Amino acid sequence: MPTEVVALLEPCNGGRFLDCTVGTGGHARVLLEAGADGVLGCDRDGEVLPLAAATLAPWAERVELVHADYRELESVLDRRGLASVDGALADLGVSSVQLAGEGRGFSFRRDEPLDMRMDRSTGATAAEVLRDASEQTLADGIFEYGEERHARRIARAIVAARRRQPLTSTGQLAALVRRAAPRRRGQRIDPATRTFQALRIWVNRELEGLAEFLRAVCRRLRAGARLAVITFHSLEDRIVKRALRELEQGPDGAVRVLTKRPLRPGREEIRLNPRARSAKLRAAERLA
């Protein structure tokens, strides 16, 4: 949602901006094109940073890219002696590059290793989670993170299948879920969609520390600076909505929510980028 991001963050006034999930550099590019003096871009996926560097090459002297999880925000800023920034953006969730990248295991459209880590340098893979978690833990995780009503049936099928052989590929898992929870009449999404979402969120701890991150980034905004957050599923959006509301209603009253209802992408953006159809943008402004 580049148009909405520029309108909210107002880089035309100059200043140094923080892109907490820089990805391939698309949003950072529009901030720089619109007048930002500089961008500090972070991403937990070190494999996308060379792509961001290529995108932002015309502004290389005004850009710094860091391999870091957005939850490390304050230490990243402290190491650079930055007490505050003039605006911040977080585009949450899995990126199109990660979904399309071969060997990443995020999508069931190809049969490949069940990895799903955004940062492949650390942490357990999805295959290891499926191997080690108990049936109850699997059912709870698939239900909580995927909002999958057949979670117990799917968890039971996973445990039965792994007794015979390890689940190591996206094709194996997708076929198993489709057998355990077949498509209902009128159901548009693939039956494996919610289970894959749940595993991805679980593996990457996507919801863990999100509210604290929002509090931290608001602390580091200068007075009048703004934060924009883009989410792609209801679990993230609920956390963002609640955290910003709590900041606005807190004892300090230092934050004003700018989006009582989330902004949604327009028809043209959805036509050009179908994945954007589920995006929601919320924003807040630091008052003092």
Side-chain angles (χ1 to χ4, degrees), residues 190-231:
D190 190 291
T193 301
R194 294 183 184 277
T195 299
F196 270 69
Q197 173 186 296
L199 269 177
R200 191 202 81 220
I201 292 172
W202 187 345
V203 165
N204 294 290
R205 302 177 297 109
E206 290 181 34
L207 307 183
E208 183 180 316
L210 177 53
E212 176 51 37
F213 155 71
L214 296 170
R215 290 190 286 269
V217 73
C218 285
R219 286 195 294 269
R220 304 306 283 255
L221 294 174
R222 65 160 177 79
R226 294 174 171 182
L227 163 67
V229 185
I230 301 173
T231 63

Side-chain angles (χ1 to χ4, degrees), residues 134-154:
S134 69
E135 181 177 325
Q136 184 63 56
T137 302
L138 284 169
D140 290 346
I142 293 169
F143 179 77
E144 179 180 358
Y145 300 137
E147 300 178 297
E148 170 58 74
R149 67 191 187 103
H150 299 300
R152 293 189 184 281
R153 189 187 303 174
I154 293 167

Side-chain angles (χ1 to χ4, degrees), residues 70-256:
Y70 60 74
R71 287 163 285 209
E72 302 167 22
L73 160 73
E74 294 205 275
S75 61
V76 168
L77 294 177
D78 288 344
R79 287 195 298 269
R80 285 154 183 81
L82 288 172
S84 64
V85 293
D86 299 293
L89 167 69
D91 185 354
L92 303 175
V94 66
S95 73
S96 298
V97 170
Q98 289 163 336
L99 283 171
E102 293 188 7
R104 302 301 298 265
F106 288 106
S107 173
F108 47 75
R109 298 185 184 282
R110 296 182 303 273
D111 189 19
E112 56 189 27
L114 268 172
D115 191 316
M116 293 196 187
R117 292 173 298 169
M118 292 181 183
D119 182 353
R120 288 200 281 186
S121 68
T122 187
T125 65
E128 290 166 337
V129 168
L130 294 176
R131 180 194 68 195
D132 298 335
S134 69
E135 181 177 325
Q136 184 63 56
T137 302
L138 284 169
D140 290 346
I142 293 169
F143 179 77
E144 179 180 358
Y145 300 137
E147 300 178 297
E148 170 58 74
R149 67 191 187 103
H150 299 300
R152 293 189 184 281
R153 189 187 303 174
I154 293 167
R156 193 179 310 122
I158 289 170
V159 170
R162 76 189 187 190
R163 292 194 187 107
R164 298 188 295 271
Q165 63 175 336
L167 289 168
T168 58
S169 79
T170 57
Q172 281 178 291
L173 179 60
L176 180 153
V177 174
R178 290 170 187 142
R179 289 193 300 271
R183 191 189 298 265
R184 303 185 305 276
R185 176 176 293 182
Q187 181 179 348
R188 289 181 296 176
I189 67 169
D190 190 291
T193 301
R194 294 183 184 277
T195 299
F196 270 69
Q197 173 186 296
L199 269 177
R200 191 202 81 220
I201 292 172
W202 187 345
V203 165
N204 294 290
R205 302 177 297 109
E206 290 181 34
L207 307 183
E208 183 180 316
L210 177 53
E212 176 51 37
F213 155 71
L214 296 170
R215 290 190 286 269
V217 73
C218 285
R219 286 195 294 269
R220 304 306 283 255
L221 294 174
R222 65 160 177 79
R226 294 174 171 182
L227 163 67
V229 185
I230 301 173
T231 63
F232 286 88
H233 58 75
S234 59
L235 298 173
E236 284 177 338
D237 184 60
R238 281 198 292 267
I239 293 173
V240 173
K241 177 182 178 180
R242 186 180 305 120
L244 294 182
R245 181 185 297 158
E246 288 173 355
L247 283 164
E248 184 177 50
Q249 297 173 350
D252 298 329
V255 168
R256 176 170 65 98

